[in-house]
Amino acid sequence: MHNKYLAWLAAGLMAGALSAQAAPLTPAGASAASSSEAMPYSGFTDYTLDVSGIFSVDGPGDPDNETRSLQIGSSARVVGIGWDTTQFADSPSWLSEMVVRFGSTNGWAVNLTTGIGDNAPGTASYSSGGVVDLIPIGLDFFVDADGVLRLEFFESFDDFANDWDGRWLSGALTVRVEGEHVVPEPSVYALLLLGLAGVAGTARRRARVQG
């Protein structure tokens, strides 16, 4: 018998309470970039990824895992994640062990466990009922200058080494991006400095005339 079933039986009376308190979105270790920086952005864009047929294989970082990449814009800020999926976990694997993590080229930021608390095999559908705002829960993050958003589908507990434990049968994930962080070119900075110098010179000339 799989040893995790012993823990499940021991915690059976608490399962409902734990399920109610659990959050499907959690930090994924090192953040891809600080979420506290205030930067200028313009508008919102929703990116949708079809997850139909994606296998959930081994633990995080395993080369057998399926990954996806989205180009969302240089240093763009991810401010929301939504889901509407149907998933299957092959016994003895659990639906709650199927995880997808989001991040940038240089780090992971957010884990999404759509079936949180669903500690059983089988098929189930999950929906966020829209896009979940990451800002109030402190999980918004920035991708790197290359503009790449990475996703990795993995198992939090690996029941079948080097083989799939679950499968995302259908549905989609939605990523909401708050515009693109526009970094001025060096030439723009030079013009800005020249403009400020001109303003300062005009102010000095006016001061001499008035004196």
Side-chain angles (χ1 to χ4, degrees), residues 16-199:
L18 291 174
S19 177
Q21 296 173 3
L25 290 162
T26 55
S31 176
S34 172
S35 63
S36 62
E37 300 175 46
M39 297 184 177
Y41 289 85
S42 58
F44 292 89
T45 303
D46 285 347
Y47 294 83
T48 301
L49 175 69
D50 185 353
V51 297
S52 302
I54 293 178
F55 287 102
S56 190
V57 184
D58 291 330
D62 192 278
D64 290 332
N65 292 340
E66 293 201 44
T67 60
R68 298 290 187 273
S69 295
L70 295 173
Q71 179 59 243
I72 64 172
S74 178
S75 302
R77 184 188 189 191
V78 177
V79 296
I81 293 174
W83 57 94
D84 189 358
T85 63
T86 298
Q87 297 159 223
F88 169 73
D90 192 15
S91 182
S93 189
W94 291 349
L95 288 158
S96 60
E97 295 168 353
M98 297 176 67
V99 186
V100 54
R101 60 179 176 175
F102 302 75
S104 70
T105 300
N106 292 315
W108 297 106
V110 177
N111 285 337
L112 169 61
T113 309
T114 53
I116 190 76
D118 209 347
N119 299 332
T123 301
S125 297
Y126 305 100
S127 177
S128 57
V131 177
V132 177
D133 189 353
L134 299 180
I135 297 176
I137 56 179
L139 293 178
D140 57 304
F141 65 96
F142 298 92
V143 297
D144 299 318
D146 60 9
V148 175
L149 172 69
R150 293 194 300 155
L151 296 86
E152 180 188 13
F153 297 81
F154 71 91
E155 288 285 311
S156 62
F157 190 100
D158 188 10
D159 294 277
F160 303 103
N162 303 317
D163 199 358
W164 64 274
D165 292 31
R167 191 176 188 188
W168 300 71
L169 299 178
S170 62
L173 301 174
T174 300
V175 177
R176 176 161 293 172
V177 177
E178 188 182 30
E180 179 178 347
H181 178 214
V182 180
V183 180
E185 296 291 334
S187 59
V188 175
Y189 280 119
L191 289 173
L192 178 61
L193 290 173
L194 286 173
L196 291 173
V199 170

